[in-house]
């Protein structure tokens, strides 16, 4: 057992870490797809609206209080001490943060449990007051998952330490158990507890996620201390960096609460339809944006800890170009295949989900790019700049949500249009600030690469359009095999064109993929 844990904790390269995270994220998102499809198939859109609404406040408290300390405010400080091989300080700081946030998040859980009903009926989803049964289910689910912020906080701190050491295995596989737990709860509780049973699945999944994350500490020989060292300069530094990052994260959650609030007033199925579409949007963002940026972040902080800004810039732009190369065809594919995805997963509300996803396509591209742009600032321990940009973004999003998400305007699709506009504005503002600080940061070679990638995407988009015309979505057509086969052909051909034309244009981004495929195909077979 210990040998397996030690192997899982082995430090990996950036490429291996990114591959591991992309694979496990793909697996987790595949399970997430399956989970969401089962939820949509086994519960009405009205009742699933209660499920989505119930998680808004727990997620808000986790993101606002705890998530800011995880990664961007915590890991750079750990990286400095890891560079000095000072593990004692790392263990002390980790223990202090674990103890403090455990106490804080426990009280948060109590507040969520006690005030679940007023939080839902007056803030998150006032429209549910017109549907008492939905409100009752939402209150029950929120109280069940009240402990989730505490459990996620502890597992987040634990895996942040492991990421600093270049170990991603347990961080990568822990979320998979969460999806599995919710999936199992659908079959166990659907006839007895209904949609409320999903809350128990989420709670058990969060506990299992913490358990698996904790296994990674065994191989690291982590030394826990039951104390909070308020006198530590490092602990104080993290506490100073925590508020800006916490507010930044909380702003994203506030956006989600505002969107749920508006959707609750646009019909009984609007919350579900919008959340189903956002689920589809988040798949490529998590798979390509968060996975690659998460794998790259420890390396970026290491370069700055080594006083090598030249290597920091070199690796940052290498990752940024890769993400642009990936994000462009992914956004195009999301637009062309949105009808297939919506009908494949959410047959009951497929037209609404497809429409909303079409308006979220721009957000898919910009959210992927944002994941690495924000880490440019976080690696330099600058949490203020992303915070100020996010403050502007939430104001813009709230204004646009109220203007566009009206029955007389774009209805619930207005929320998606607002999100795309805001995502683009955030990326634009961060890029402008980077240019102001360093006018030569984006050199000629970078822009030449971007122009080539844009040209290549034109060819792959044309391929996607042609495939959709050759394999049209017939009215009333259903069936997982039929729709899945057509969707797979559309995606496969589009990506092959993107890779092939990229090679013709002399881009470096597809080379690692081509080398791995060539090695796999040409690997000699040993016959004994």
């Amino acid at each position: 057992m210990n040998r397996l844990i030690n192997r899982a904790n082995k430090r990996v390269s950036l490429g291996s870490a990114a591959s591991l995270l992309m694979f496990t994220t793909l697996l987790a998102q595949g399970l997430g797809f399956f989970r969401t499809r089962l939820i949509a198939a086994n519960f009405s859109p009205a009742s699933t609206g209660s499920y989505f609404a119930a998680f808004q406040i727990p997620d808000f408290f986790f993101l606002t209080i705890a998530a800011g300390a995880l990664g961007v405010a915590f890991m750079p400080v750990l990286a400095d001490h890891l560079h000095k091989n000072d593990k004692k300080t790392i263990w002390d700081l980790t223990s202090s943060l674990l103890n403090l946030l455990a106490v804080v998040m426990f009280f948060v859980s109590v507040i969520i449990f006690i005030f679940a009903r007023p939080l839902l009926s007056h803030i998150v989803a006032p429209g549910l007051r017109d549907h008492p049964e939905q409100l009752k289910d939402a209150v029950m689910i929120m109280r069940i998952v009240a402990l989730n912020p505490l459990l996620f906080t502890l597992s987040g701190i634990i895996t942040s330490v492991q990421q600093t050491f270049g170990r991603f295995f347990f961080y990568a596989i822990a979320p998979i158990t969460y999806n599995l737990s919710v999936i199992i709860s659908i079959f166990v509780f659907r006839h007895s507890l209904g949609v409320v049973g999903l809350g128990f699945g989420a709670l058990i999944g969060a506990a299992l996620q913490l358990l698996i994350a904790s296994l990674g500490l065994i191989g690291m020989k982590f030394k826990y201390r039951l104390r909070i060292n308020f006198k530590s300069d490092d602990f104080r530094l993290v506490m100073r960096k925590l508020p800006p990052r916490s507010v930044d994260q909380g702003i994203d959650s506030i956006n989600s609460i505002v969107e749920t609030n508006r959707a609750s007033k646009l019909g009984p199925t609007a919350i579900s339809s919008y959340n189903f579409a956002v689920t589809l949007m988040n798949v490529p963002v998590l798979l390509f944006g968060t996975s690659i940026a998460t794998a790259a972040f420890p390396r970026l902080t290491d370069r700055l800890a080594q006083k090598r800004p030249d290597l920091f810039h070199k690796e940052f732009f290498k990752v940024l170009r890769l993400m642009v190369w990936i994000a462009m065809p992914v956004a195009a594919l999301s637009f062309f295949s949105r009808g297939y995805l919506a009908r494949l997963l959410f047959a009951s509300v497929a037209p609404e989900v497809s429409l909303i996803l079409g308006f979220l396509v721009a957000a898919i591209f910009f959210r992927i790019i944002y994941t690495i742009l924000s880490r440019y600032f976080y690696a330099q321990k600058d949490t203020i700049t992303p915070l100020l940009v996010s403050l502007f973004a939430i104001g813009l999003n709230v204004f646009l949500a109220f203007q566009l998400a009206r029955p007389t305007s774009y209805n619930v699709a207005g929320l998606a249009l607002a999100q795309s506009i805001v995502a683009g504005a955030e990326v634009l503002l961060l890029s402008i600030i980077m240019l102001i600080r360093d006018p030569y940061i984006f050199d000629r070679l970078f822009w030449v690469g971007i122009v080539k990638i844009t040209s290549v995407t034109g060819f792959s988009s044309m391929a996607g359009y042609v495939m959709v015309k050759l394999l049209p979505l017939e009215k009333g057509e259903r069936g997982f095999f039929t729709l899945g086969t057509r969707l797979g052909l559309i995606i496969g051909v589009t990506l092959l064109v993107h890779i092939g034309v990229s090679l013709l244009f002399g881009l470096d981004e597809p080379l690692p993929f081509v080398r791995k495929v060539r090695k796999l195909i040409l690997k000699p077979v040993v016959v004994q």
Side-chain angles (χ1 to χ4, degrees):
M1 179 66 177
N2 287 334
R3 182 180 298 178
L4 290 174
I5 292 175
N6 288 331
R7 287 185 63 185
N9 271 302
K10 185 179 179 181
R11 187 179 181 95
V12 295
S13 66
L14 172 60
S16 297
S19 298
L20 171 64
L21 290 174
M22 289 178 66
F23 172 76
T24 53
T25 301
L26 180 61
L27 177 58
Q29 289 303 306
L31 288 173
F33 263 171
F34 186 52
R35 177 199 71 195
T36 307
R37 188 172 191 272
L38 287 174
I39 291 174
N42 286 276
F43 306 101
S44 68
S47 62
T48 54
S50 302
Y51 170 76
F52 290 119
F55 282 85
Q56 296 299 323
I57 294 298
D59 287 348
F60 167 76
F61 278 111
F62 166 64
L63 292 171
T64 302
I65 296 177
L70 315 180
V72 297
F74 183 42
M75 289 171 58
V77 179
L78 295 184
D80 289 341
H81 289 284
L82 182 61
H83 183 63
K84 302 172 186 175
N85 199 29
D86 183 10
K87 291 188 177 181
K88 180 180 182 300
T89 301
I90 292 175
W91 303 148
D92 285 342
L93 178 58
T94 302
S95 298
S96 295
L97 198 60
L98 276 170
N99 295 330
L100 176 65
L101 291 184
V103 173
V104 172
M105 298 309 288
F106 174 77
F107 284 105
V108 165
S109 298
V110 173
I111 291 172
I112 293 173
F113 186 88
I114 295 174
F115 298 101
R117 180 174 291 274
L119 286 170
L120 278 164
S121 61
H122 295 290
I123 298 177
V124 176
L128 291 184
R129 292 200 299 262
D130 299 329
H131 307 279
E133 284 301 315
Q134 285 183 254
L135 179 59
K136 179 183 176 182
D137 288 344
V139 171
M140 285 292 295
I141 295 171
M142 183 183 286
R143 286 175 173 163
I144 292 169
V145 301
L147 276 176
N148 279 25
L150 169 62
L151 300 174
F152 286 139
T153 296
L154 298 179
S155 60
I157 295 173
I158 290 170
T159 53
S160 291
V161 176
Q162 295 171 37
Q163 290 176 68
T164 304
F165 280 77
R167 297 171 172 90
F168 294 88
F169 179 78
F170 291 101
Y171 165 79
I173 68 170
I176 295 174
T177 59
Y178 181 83
N179 283 326
L180 285 173
S181 180
V182 176
I183 289 172
I184 293 172
S185 71
I186 295 172
F187 298 101
V188 174
F189 298 117
R190 61 179 173 175
H191 296 304
S192 55
L193 298 176
V195 73
V196 174
L198 300 178
F200 286 105
L203 175 61
I204 295 170
L208 290 174
Q209 185 169 318
L210 173 60
L211 175 62
I212 290 178
S214 300
L215 292 176
L217 295 178
I218 298 175
M220 297 175 62
K221 300 179 180 179
F222 172 62
K223 296 180 180 179
Y224 171 74
R225 294 172 175 82
L226 186 60
R227 66 168 183 166
I228 303 174
N229 188 4
F230 289 102
K231 297 181 179 180
S232 167
D233 292 336
D234 296 304
F235 183 73
R236 292 178 178 178
L237 176 60
V238 173
M239 290 298 101
R240 288 197 300 271
K241 296 294 182 182
L242 174 59
R245 176 55 178 161
S246 295
V247 174
D248 187 14
Q249 287 280 63
I251 283 170
D252 290 336
S253 188
I254 290 173
N255 276 333
S256 182
I257 292 174
V258 170
E259 290 168 345
T260 303
N261 180 293
R262 298 307 302 158
S264 71
K265 298 180 179 180
L266 297 173
T269 64
I271 295 177
S272 294
S273 297
Y274 183 71
N275 276 274
F276 287 150
V278 170
T279 298
L280 291 174
M281 178 197 76
N282 284 334
V283 171
V285 175
L286 291 171
L287 179 60
F288 303 112
T290 304
S291 295
I292 297 175
T294 298
F297 187 63
R299 183 66 61 88
L300 294 176
T301 58
D302 282 347
R303 295 309 188 192
L304 291 177
Q306 296 165 5
K307 310 298 183 184
R308 292 298 305 271
D310 56 326
L311 294 180
F312 168 80
H313 283 89
K314 181 179 179 181
E315 295 199 20
F316 171 76
F317 286 119
K318 181 180 178 181
V319 176
L320 177 58
R321 269 190 43 160
L322 173 64
M323 294 175 79
V324 172
W325 181 77
I326 292 173
M328 283 190 173
V330 165
L333 270 172
S334 299
F335 180 78
F336 291 126
S337 63
R338 67 191 189 281
Y340 298 84
L341 286 167
R343 191 177 294 183
L344 187 66
L345 298 169
F346 316 114
S348 59
V349 287
E352 294 87 348
V353 174
S354 177
L355 175 66
I356 296 169
L357 184 59
F359 283 97
L360 286 172
V361 166
I364 291 174
F365 173 80
F366 290 118
R367 295 294 182 203
I368 291 175
I369 303 304
Y370 179 85
T371 58
I372 190 62
L373 289 185
S374 61
R375 281 165 174 78
Y376 173 89
F377 295 93
Y378 296 142
Q380 301 180 68
K381 301 176 183 177
D382 176 8
T383 55
I384 298 297
T385 298
L387 169 62
L388 295 176
V389 172
S390 293
L391 286 173
F392 167 79
I394 186 175
L396 180 60
N397 189 71
V398 170
F399 172 77
L400 291 175
F402 277 85
Q403 294 298 315
L404 300 175
R406 296 177 176 178
T408 56
S409 185
Y410 290 90
N411 208 295
V412 69
L415 297 174
L417 179 58
Q419 189 166 152
S420 287
I421 294 172
V422 171
E426 284 188 287
V427 168
L428 178 61
L429 285 174
L430 286 180
S431 300
I432 290 173
I433 294 170
M434 290 171 65
L435 280 170
I436 291 174
R437 293 184 178 181
D438 186 355
Y440 304 102
I441 195 168
F442 296 115
D443 58 16
R444 179 180 175 277
L445 186 61
F446 174 80
W447 288 116
V448 168
I450 295 299
V451 171
K452 286 184 177 181
I453 292 172
T454 304
S455 301
V456 169
T457 305
F459 286 95
S460 52
S461 298
M462 189 180 301
Y465 176 78
V466 171
M467 289 301 297
V468 170
K469 289 297 182 182
L470 291 175
L471 301 171
L473 190 62
E474 302 294 340
K475 184 178 180 180
E477 187 176 39
R478 296 188 180 184
F480 186 84
F481 179 78
T482 301
L483 294 175
T485 301
R486 293 187 181 184
L487 180 61
L489 287 172
I490 292 170
I491 293 174
V493 171
T494 303
L495 294 181
L496 284 175
V497 170
H498 191 70
I499 293 171
V501 178
S502 295
L503 293 172
L504 291 176
F505 275 60
L507 292 173
D508 296 332
E509 281 72 21
L511 292 180
F513 172 79
V514 173
R515 282 196 292 265
K516 286 187 177 182
V517 172
R518 183 183 299 170
K519 182 178 180 181
L520 181 65
I521 294 175
L522 299 180
K523 184 178 180 179
V525 178
V526 179
V527 180
Q528 296 181 352

